[in-house]
Amino acid sequence: MSLRQQQAPKDHEAVQISLRTALILMLFTAAFTTLMAFAYLATRDTIAASAKKEKLKLIGEVLPPAMYDNALLKDVIELPAIAELGLDQPSRAYRARKNGEPVALVFEAAAPDGYSGRINLILAVRPDGEIVAVRVTAHRETPGLGDYIDPHKDKNKTQPWISQFDRQGFASLPPAQWHVKKDGGHFDQRSGATISARAVTNAIGRAAAWASKQDAQLFATSAPPAARLN
Amino acid sequence: MNLRDIAWNGLWKQNAGIVQLLGMCPLLAMSNSIVNAAGLGIATIIVMALSSGTVSILRGFIPYEIRIPVFILIIAALVTGIDLAMNAWLHQLYLVLGIFIPLIVTNCIVLARVEAYAAKNPPLSATFDATMMGLGLTLVLVVLGAVRELVGSGTLFAGIEMLVPGAHAIQIMPADYPGFLVAILPPGAFFTLGCLIALRNWIDARAARRKLAQPIPSGEPSMQPV
């Protein structure tokens, strides 16, 4: 039993004790690092599989799986950091096709000006610029007040706030209308939490404008860079 | 100390949440609904039981001078293992609790029980003590979560479908209940916790007064014929 206070050791004893405890600490570190390495190796494949499933599920929220038939996660293009999308880091866009025809581009965007910082979005946009759907993937808006931008938190389950962007495009709605009603635009906001809605609406407007300019070109970049990713 | 004393200690007398006031970080952050509170509480129980058990088994090999780094090493390794295992095999639950599992390493109640109890006691009672301490904390978390959720958003068990598929939240307040934001935000946790501590102290004080008021128990007079 070594868990007791030692008496003040003499000099040569101090060296001995230091060496001994250092050795023991090293042994413990080695043993538990080995354990962690084994845990990592044992779970790596399962975790990768669930991450992939999670990604498909998230994409499935903005783009129903029935709408495309290609291996979406492999049909990837790498995007640089694009200021119009509010992204300061490179991101990936996924190209959905059915029978080889472009169906939609799935990509990320962000609103930098939420009430409590960044709001991350994922969008699916058709080649003609029409939005299929939008979802909020990460945000820190006030619970119960601004968090209705996330349909899981929205009290209106049948017609969540974010669903008013479904099937909107510049063909039906001119760019000047892509703001909340309070700013003279087309989209509703909930009273008391305009800032969250305004940030998301403006970010979606910018992302839709970017996509309608880029989509044709992005889809033309053929030859999906196969299994390099995922 | 026997098992009953350990349980009483963990659940009431030395309750981590409302007596020792340890582990405030998860207490405040995660107790805004019953489901969140219970989820984090259960994860904490598992980490505490495993780390106390492991430390107790290894206590003969740990020199006194480096016990704290070794304890932290053990706790961190176990939490990492649990984090990975949950991510792999309980992915739904991991999505809810994922970011809070690593936080458990920093929860001082885990280290406190390892240092104060597990390092000096055999594995079985150390594991039991940690489980009871964790359970005491979890009960406080769940009560906090229930009060804050009910007052804040008028529901109970919101988000239960993430843990139990097919279950639904219960709407207690009328559907047009506007919600009470303060209860959901961190200040609500402080207010509710303060009320819980006051309630516990009142119960204890009342029990102590009763004990004083009663004369020394002399035993019931036996009515049975001898």
Side-chain angles (χ1 to χ4, degrees):
Chain A
M1 180 66 203
S2 45
L3 280 174
R4 75 194 132 78
Q5 202 94 43
Q6 311 249 348
Q7 283 174 346
K10 296 190 185 86
D11 276 356
H12 66 280
E13 275 179 349
V15 173
Q16 218 170 20
I17 289 171
S18 307
L19 282 176
R20 204 177 63 102
T21 47
L23 188 73
I24 292 174
L25 187 57
M26 208 176 77
L27 285 178
F28 267 106
T29 313
F32 279 91
T33 312
T34 316
L35 273 181
M36 274 194 276
F38 274 117
Y40 171 73
L41 288 177
T43 52
R44 188 175 50 181
D45 293 343
T46 326
I47 290 175
S50 15
K52 191 175 164 187
K53 219 168 94 187
E54 197 52 39
K55 189 127 213 175
L56 275 175
K57 199 178 142 208
L58 186 66
I59 292 174
E61 288 209 13
V62 289
L63 189 71
M67 282 178 69
Y68 59 89
D69 58 4
N70 61 331
L72 191 59
L73 291 183
K74 297 211 170 134
D75 201 345
V76 169
I77 32 177
E78 304 273 347
L79 298 175
I82 298 168
E84 287 147 288
L85 295 182
L87 301 175
D88 46 17
Q89 278 178 350
S91 66
R92 288 173 184 175
Y94 303 95
R95 295 180 291 189
R97 303 165 195 270
K98 189 151 197 173
N99 305 322
E101 288 297 306
V103 173
L105 186 72
V106 179
F107 60 97
E108 291 168 59
D113 47 355
Y115 189 72
S116 324
R118 274 169 80 88
I119 301 171
N120 292 343
L121 306 165
I122 184 169
L123 297 94
V125 179
R126 289 178 182 283
D128 61 3
E130 188 187 285
I131 288 175
V132 182
V134 189
R135 285 292 177 273
V136 170
T137 53
H139 73 90
R140 282 177 298 160
E141 301 304 288
T142 317
L145 200 59
D147 65 349
Y148 63 84
I149 54 172
D150 178 358
H152 298 294
K153 298 283 167 63
D154 200 333
K155 280 183 181 156
N156 187 344
K157 294 286 178 206
T158 50
Q159 199 86 53
W161 177 82
I162 198 101
S163 69
Q164 55 180 331
F165 294 98
D166 296 357
R167 286 180 299 284
Q168 291 287 1
F170 289 120
S172 56
L173 201 63
Q177 292 280 299
W178 288 70
H179 298 287
V180 289
K181 280 193 175 142
K182 201 168 182 178
D183 298 343
H186 170 80
F187 297 100
D188 280 324
Q189 75 273 340
R190 302 264 167 86
S191 60
T194 309
I195 294 174
S196 312
R198 177 185 291 143
V200 173
T201 307
N202 293 347
I204 294 174
R206 286 192 297 268
W210 175 83
S212 60
K213 268 189 294 177
Q214 306 284 330
D215 247 18
Q217 189 202 330
L218 290 176
F219 272 106
T221 321
S222 60
R228 189 159 61 85
L229 304 152
N230 293 302
Chain B
M1 224 195 299
N2 65 22
L3 293 185
R4 229 185 113 204
D5 286 342
I6 294 176
W8 177 246
N9 215 16
L11 295 179
W12 184 264
K13 208 173 131 207
Q14 289 290 322
N15 186 296
I18 55 176
V19 179
Q20 302 189 61
L21 297 180
L22 290 174
M24 301 299 284
C25 162
L27 210 68
L28 297 175
M30 279 310 275
S31 63
N32 53 7
S33 79
I34 293 186
V35 172
N36 283 353
L40 185 72
I42 292 165
T44 311
I45 294 178
I46 296 171
V47 170
M48 286 186 72
L50 286 178
S51 51
S52 277
T54 313
V55 166
S56 180
I57 291 169
L58 296 175
R59 71 189 193 283
F61 305 102
I62 304 172
Y64 181 82
E65 297 82 5
I66 53 162
R67 67 196 192 287
I68 303 288
V70 173
F71 293 163
I72 293 176
L73 181 73
I74 292 173
I75 296 170
L78 284 171
V79 170
T80 309
I82 292 172
D83 188 62
L84 288 170
M86 267 182 76
N87 193 351
W89 294 298
L90 292 169
H91 196 69
Q92 282 306 309
L93 191 62
Y94 181 78
L95 291 179
V96 187
L97 298 176
I99 51 170
F100 300 100
I101 305 279
L103 270 183
I104 296 175
V105 181
T106 65
N107 191 338
C108 39
I109 184 64
V110 182
L111 189 61
R113 273 343 267 178
V114 164
E115 158 82 349
Y117 196 88
K120 299 166 192 140
N121 288 282
L124 217 59
S125 59
T127 309
F128 186 71
D129 169 79
T131 311
M132 282 302 139
M133 277 287 161
L135 194 62
L137 182 67
T138 305
L139 290 177
V140 173
L141 277 173
V142 168
V143 172
L144 266 181
V147 173
R148 292 177 66 193
E149 189 181 348
L150 182 63
V151 176
S153 39
T155 59
L156 283 179
F157 297 106
I160 186 84
E161 65 273 3
M162 291 185 289
L163 302 184
V164 188
H168 288 289
I170 309 168
Q171 184 80 31
I172 305 283
M173 302 290 192
D176 58 349
Y177 180 67
F180 185 59
L181 193 58
V182 177
I184 303 276
L185 297 178
F190 277 113
F191 287 132
T192 318
L193 183 68
C195 295
L196 282 184
I197 295 172
L199 180 70
R200 187 205 171 277
N201 288 348
W202 178 73
I203 293 175
D204 261 6
R206 208 177 62 143
R209 257 203 321 275
R210 283 209 177 154
K211 221 173 183 176
L212 270 183
Q214 265 175 10
I216 301 125
S218 51
E220 292 289 317
S222 172
M223 301 301 279
Q224 286 164 355
V226 182

